Amino acid sequence: MSDRWRTLLKFGLPLGMIALLSMALLLGKLSHSDSVQTTTRLLMGTMVSITTSHPSPMEADQAVKRAFAEMSRIETLMSSHQSSSTVSHLNRVSRETWSPLPAELAQLLRRGLTISTQSQGAFAMGLEPLTSLWGFSSDKAATEPPTQTALEAWLKGYPATEPLSLQTLADHTTQLRLNGPSVGLDLGGIAKGYAIDQAIAVLRQEGIQNAIVDAGGDLRAIGRKGDKPWRIGIQDPRQADQVVALSLLQGDISMVTSGDYERFFLYQGKRYHHILDPSTALPADSGLQSVSVQAADATTADALSTAIFVLGAEKGMALLDHFPGSAVLLITDTGKPIRSAGFIGEWLPKPSPPTTNSPSKQP
Ligand code: ADP
Ligand code: MG
């Protein structure tokens, strides 16, 4: 073997690696030049923002349009506020009778029903008559709670087990039955997460690798923002403009928050919010102000955050055990944070109060 060959064998590999490394550095550098753009639209009763970090703004624009179209399709399918939606139609035709269920809805309901079972019915997709009674399903905010008589009548008509049933026929199609006068589909606790997952799937199909779909604080992030992770703040449940925790997310992760501050009214000094406990017909009162769940997908995170909000800290943590890889940050009634192992995020120190008695001018 010639000296030249020997030298090549000795140094060829490292030289090749250096070449690869500089390629990687170059690519890394290219990804820094990704353009970051955000588009916001009003969908599903909330502001939905899609942010992409992608080399071609035009490609990103096209992908984002398709992702919004997909979310809008899901809203038309699953909203219980729109009388023309498929869910509203099912609410008219499935009460105490079997009726055909579109495959996509069947699949989502099956996922949700697993969480209903695991949460002993705390997560419930059949509460439409109750959310209507409370006025949380209409655009016009309620100002006072329903009467005791109305709540008792609802409780009487709501089955303790299996409020809604699915059956698969020989041709593999599914049928739905709503069991009782108090049951109607309301997918408000899971559909937003599903829409986020579908939007991410569309973005990926369109070649976008770095993005965040954020529906009013419920989100899924993929990839990175240029060369940095996505920075996500968790809102203070009692001060909308304050952030209490900061999560640096990258890769593929969802984070969904359920809180008593999202939809509520005050009546005689008491807060009545939109997450209802089916066992009492009242807003859940489990000692929590907010529940932020991190999970592999937004559908799971959405359903879990609602379920844990109803169950409270102890039972909620036990529910989480069924979902390896998911984690939670709870904020209790007293504002105390409780974090499960694996939750990505830092609790931020409270800004120190002003030192003088004069009205503060915070920067
Ligand atoms: P948001 O939609 O405000 O982010 P959630 O994901 O916690 O909050 O969902 C709350 C919505 O879910 C309510 O507005 C209602 O439509 C529905 N819902 C209320 N109580 C329950 C419950 N116990 N289980 C499942 N869904 C519920
Ligand atoms: Mg939810």
Side-chain angles (χ1 to χ4, degrees):
M1 194 186 289
S2 73
D3 277 348
R4 265 184 90 186
W5 272 109
R6 232 175 250 129
T7 317
L8 251 178
L9 273 179
K10 204 166 157 200
F11 295 108
L13 206 58
L15 278 177
M17 277 176 75
I18 288 169
L20 273 177
L21 255 174
S22 40
M23 276 275 283
L25 282 176
L26 198 70
L27 285 174
K29 230 186 164 134
L30 276 180
S31 81
H32 297 189
S33 66
D34 280 359
S35 112
V36 175
Q37 54 193 57
T38 302
T39 314
T40 303
R41 286 200 199 163
L42 182 66
L43 269 172
M44 302 177 296
T46 192
M47 297 309 283
V48 181
S49 295
I50 302 185
T51 303
T52 51
S53 178
H54 191 70
S56 156
M58 261 169 57
E59 256 175 49
D61 214 36
Q62 187 65 17
V64 167
K65 278 201 182 101
R66 298 213 161 116
F68 273 125
E70 172 65 359
M71 293 181 103
S72 164
R73 181 188 71 80
I74 294 166
E75 183 175 23
T76 308
L77 186 68
M78 300 190 180
S79 164
S80 47
H81 312 291
Q82 296 179 359
S83 63
S84 57
S85 75
T86 307
V87 156
S88 294
H89 168 75
L90 287 164
N91 282 342
R92 290 189 289 269
V93 299
S94 320
R95 190 149 300 128
E96 308 194 56
T97 49
W98 289 109
S99 69
L101 186 63
E104 186 177 11
L105 269 171
Q107 216 181 354
L108 183 66
L109 286 184
R110 282 210 179 83
R111 291 178 69 183
L113 284 176
T114 308
I115 297 179
S116 296
T117 308
Q118 287 162 336
S119 65
Q120 283 90 45
F123 179 74
M125 296 176 292
L127 299 183
E128 197 282 325
L130 185 63
T131 47
S132 285
L133 205 55
W134 277 95
F136 290 122
S137 51
S138 72
D139 292 335
K140 209 170 93 269
T143 49
E144 59 182 276
T147 63
Q148 190 62 26
T149 319
L151 291 176
E152 275 165 18
W154 180 85
L155 274 170
K156 233 175 121 198
Y158 188 77
T161 54
E162 210 175 307
L164 41 100
S165 311
L166 300 185
Q167 71 174 6
T168 309
L169 302 182
D171 63 0
H172 302 294
T173 60
T174 307
Q175 293 203 315
L176 166 75
R177 195 181 63 203
L178 306 170
N179 299 321
S182 296
V183 187
L185 287 178
D186 176 344
L187 304 184
I190 192 169
K192 212 195 289 170
Y194 178 69
I196 292 170
D197 285 337
Q198 288 294 109
I200 287 287
V202 168
L203 292 173
R204 280 185 162 146
Q205 273 163 22
E206 299 288 320
I208 305 293
Q209 277 145 15
N210 304 289
I212 186 154
V213 177
D214 179 340
D218 297 347
L219 56 94
R220 178 162 173 173
I222 55 169
R224 289 158 74 83
K225 183 183 183 183
D227 61 344
K228 297 194 180 72
W230 299 101
R231 285 166 65 88
I232 316 293
I234 297 178
Q235 188 188 318
D236 185 327
R238 293 293 174 266
Q239 274 176 288
D241 58 343
Q242 299 284 324
V243 166
V244 286
L246 181 69
S247 292
L248 301 181
L249 303 179
Q250 58 187 321
D252 181 358
I253 187 164
S254 299
M255 182 159 78
V256 175
T257 300
S258 288
D260 65 2
Y261 55 91
E262 284 164 354
R263 285 194 122 207
F264 71 95
F265 60 86
L266 294 169
Y267 178 71
Q268 297 183 343
K270 194 169 156 40
R271 177 185 290 261
Y272 294 92
H273 62 80
H274 71 321
I275 304 173
L276 302 167
D277 182 343
S279 67
T280 60
L282 302 172
D285 188 14
S286 64
L288 300 175
Q289 288 178 353
S290 96
V291 174
S292 301
V293 172
Q294 290 173 348
D297 63 83
T299 308
T300 306
D302 194 3
L304 281 181
S305 69
T306 309
I308 295 173
F309 193 95
V310 177
L311 288 173
E314 201 178 317
K315 287 187 184 158
M317 289 287 191
L319 173 64
L320 211 64
D321 290 342
H322 292 285
F323 298 86
S326 55
V328 71
L329 172 74
L330 309 169
I331 303 178
T332 69
D333 270 353
T334 56
K336 195 181 113 197
I338 303 176
R339 200 160 47 151
S340 77
F343 187 87
I344 304 166
E346 288 307 315
W347 187 256
L348 300 173
K350 281 237 183 281
S352 41
T355 45
T356 61
N357 287 333
S358 61
S360 62
K361 277 196 193 110
Q362 302 280 343

